[in-house]
Each structure stands twice: as C-alpha cells, then as structure tokens.
Amino acid sequence: GESVGLHLPTLSVQEGDNSIINCAYSNSASDYFIWYKQESGKGPQFIIDIRSNMDKRQGQRVTVLLNKTVKHLSLQIAATQPGDSAVYFCADSSGNTPLVFGKGTRLSVIA
Amino acid sequence: KAGVTQTPRYLIKTRGQQVTLSCSPISGHRSVSWYQQTPGQGLQFLFEYFSETQRNKGNFPGRFSGRQFSNSRSEMNVSTLELGDSALYLCASSGQGYTEAFFGQGTRLTVV
C-alpha cells in the first residue's frame, strides 16, 4: 500500500534556532495531512494539519508547508525549545481512508 | 473537555491468553480508530469504528477484533496472544473520519 516517509530519522538543533522536519508522501490522491508530536511514554499529540487546497498553514510557533507537485510536506518550528524534543510524525489520508504514518523523526534540542 | 482515555495503561499477559483494551473518545466524537505502535513497524492501522460500525480494517489477523458501543466507547480484543503482539496500542477519536484525530496515551501491552 501507500506509505508516508520522513527524510531524516534524527535532527539535532540548538535551542532558539528554527527546526525543519521534512516528509515525503507517495499517494497523489492524499488530500489531508497532519503532524503529530510524541514524547516518550505518551500518545501522539496533534500539532497542526493542512488540506490539499492550501500550501501553507501557521499555528503557534509552527508552520506546515505542502508542496503537492513534489509530494512533500514540512513542519517548521520557530525558536525551538527543550520542550520540543520528541518524535515527530507526519501522516496523510485521502477521503475516508485511514491515516498512513511515516516512521518519525526524533528531534533533539541542544541547550 | 476531557481527552481520549485509554485503560489500562499497562498490561502484562502470557502467550495464549486474550486481552481487552478500552478507549473512551472525546465527548461528541463518533469515530474511534485503533493503531498498533512498535519500534520496527511504526504506527499501523488496526480498524476504525463509527456509530458502532466497523468502517475500515487494517491488515491484521482475525485475532484482533473490536467493537464500539452506543456511547462511542470502543474496545479492542486480542485473542491467543503472541510475543509479537507486544506493543503500544493507541486509539484516536475524531468527529468523523480521520481528520483532526486526537490520540489517547495508549496501552502498553507486554506478552511474555
């Protein structure tokens, strides 16, 4: 079946810098994309989502960019903080199909 | 507003036994999806229930089953447990479908 993958398994950034986490998806029919943050021992936490009729959406300190031409999704975190250290997952869905998750990127923030 | 509640948080079972996990969705949410999370396979979709009906099912053996009650609470059952069933089992609730899905803390199942 289709799968969503992430380019990098780990990412280390200095506290205060911006972080960019990338994701590639393969299903051209996908029309809904979502990012989750998962801290150790916890369930995935909803960060931000975007639909295919948009190419950018901003939240609090986070921005999601969608490039449908190359089937690429990214999550930008501004002024990264130690509390942002976690594994980040992207997922996609097309219509009423279940979310397909990538393997995740572990973000480590260096104080 | 209370979040998604999963019980129990931790379980240790023996091979061959069966187990039932529970998920209470966010109030007003009618869709409940179940996922299995393992280090090797990541998050894999098990099944989704909406208004007491299973709408989608992932590629898992028949030992994995679920149901949803009229109050939208859902249970999943795994029979004849195998060592490979050790995982974090997560449920997610949404208003309908898979958009804006919110996860519970998960149930950590260990099969020995």
Side-chain angles (χ1 to χ4, degrees):
Chain A
E2 300 289 356
S3 65
V4 178
L6 288 145
H7 294 316
L8 293 172
T10 61
L11 177 66
S12 295
V13 297
Q14 288 289 140
E15 182 179 358
D17 287 353
N18 297 334
S19 303
I20 300 176
I21 302 171
N22 295 304
C23 178
Y25 64 95
S26 57
N27 185 0
S28 56
S30 291
D31 58 4
Y32 177 78
F33 306 85
I34 189 167
W35 282 98
Y36 289 96
K37 170 188 179 183
Q38 187 174 27
E39 296 173 281
S40 182
K42 296 185 178 181
Q45 175 188 350
F46 174 95
I47 300 174
I48 192 168
D49 60 357
I50 188 169
R51 296 185 184 273
S52 58
N53 60 350
M54 303 174 69
D55 52 21
K56 180 179 180 179
R57 191 170 186 215
Q58 290 183 290
Q60 188 176 16
R61 282 200 306 118
V62 294
T63 300
V64 56
L65 298 177
L66 175 63
N67 186 330
K68 295 180 286 294
T69 302
V70 295
K71 297 201 283 285
H72 182 269
L73 190 68
S74 69
L75 176 71
Q76 300 179 0
I77 305 173
T80 312
Q81 303 168 359
D84 295 326
S85 294
V87 177
Y88 290 80
F89 294 95
C90 65
D92 75 320
S93 172
S94 58
N96 285 321
T97 61
L99 289 170
V100 176
F101 284 83
K103 293 296 185 186
T105 293
R106 181 174 298 280
L107 174 66
S108 297
V109 181
I110 305 164
Chain B
K1 203 177 201 181
V4 180
T5 303
Q6 290 189 246
T7 56
R9 288 293 311 278
Y10 302 94
L11 266 178
I12 300 176
K13 289 287 188 179
T14 304
R15 270 183 303 175
Q17 288 186 314
Q18 73 165 6
V19 66
T20 299
L21 313 180
S22 179
C23 173
S24 293
I26 292 171
S27 178
H29 283 187
R30 296 164 65 189
S31 171
V32 174
S33 298
W34 288 89
Y35 293 82
Q36 181 195 67
Q37 186 177 28
T38 59
Q41 299 298 318
L43 276 147
Q44 293 188 292
F45 172 77
L46 282 156
F47 28 67
E48 185 240 353
Y49 287 87
F50 181 85
S51 293
E52 302 179 67
T53 300
Q54 186 182 86
R55 289 202 298 193
N56 272 303
K57 189 178 190 305
N59 188 27
F60 278 81
R63 301 185 296 106
F64 292 81
S65 63
R67 59 178 175 168
Q68 187 179 34
F69 303 94
S70 58
N71 62 357
S72 294
R73 189 178 71 85
S74 178
E75 289 181 346
M76 70 163 280
N77 183 276
V78 188
S79 62
T80 319
L81 284 165
E82 301 176 0
L83 294 178
D85 296 333
S86 295
L88 181 66
Y89 290 88
L90 294 158
C91 82
S93 81
S94 64
Q96 58 181 38
Y98 302 96
T99 60
E100 296 181 58
F102 294 87
F103 281 86
Q105 297 283 53
T107 294
R108 171 74 63 185
L109 172 65
T110 302
V111 182
V112 297

